[in-house]
Amino acid sequence: MTNSAGDVASYHALLIGIDDYSMKPLSGCVNDIDAVQQILLERAKVPKERILRLASPRKQATHSTEVPAQPATLANLRAGFAELAKRAKEGDRVFIY
């Protein structure tokens, strides 16, 4: 597949996982983005520099560090979407999970 510039279409991903809620913490959301990340890297061959990862795991939880993560704050969510808009060209594929 090619984009509007005639280049091969690129894939870009934004992965968001939040377990660390103050009132009722969760325990599977960051695990889910770990699994999706592995599929993107291993099966879809998406370069790790094209994956943006926003993760707020529970305290003392361990998760994948293959792709650097920022906390899933409102400011970082806005910045992540803005970064996707800047990176992606017409015809590219964008995956948000």
Side-chain angles (χ1 to χ4, degrees):
M1 162 147 291
T2 58
N3 62 21
S4 62
D7 301 322
V8 174
S10 294
Y11 290 83
H12 307 274
L14 174 60
L15 306 179
I16 305 163
I18 306 170
D19 288 337
D20 191 26
Y21 289 99
S22 59
M23 296 297 284
K24 292 188 178 184
L26 301 174
S27 60
C29 301
V30 180
N31 289 338
D32 290 348
I33 67 168
D34 288 346
V36 170
Q37 175 181 294
Q38 283 311 110
I39 291 169
L40 292 171
L41 292 169
E42 293 173 8
R43 294 187 194 169
K45 305 295 184 204
V46 175
K48 63 183 171 183
E49 53 275 357
R50 292 202 185 137
I51 299 173
L52 300 173
R53 181 181 167 97
L54 301 177
S56 292
R58 293 174 102 173
K59 305 291 185 260
Q60 286 82 35
T62 58
H63 292 281
S64 175
T65 58
E66 190 170 358
V67 173
Q70 295 291 319
T73 63
L74 179 58
N76 286 342
L77 287 165
R78 288 177 174 157
F81 282 108
E83 182 65 23
L84 275 181
K86 187 170 80 172
R87 289 182 184 187
K89 309 273 189 277
E90 184 177 339
D92 283 355
R93 304 288 186 198
V94 174
F95 178 72
I96 301 168
Y97 184 91

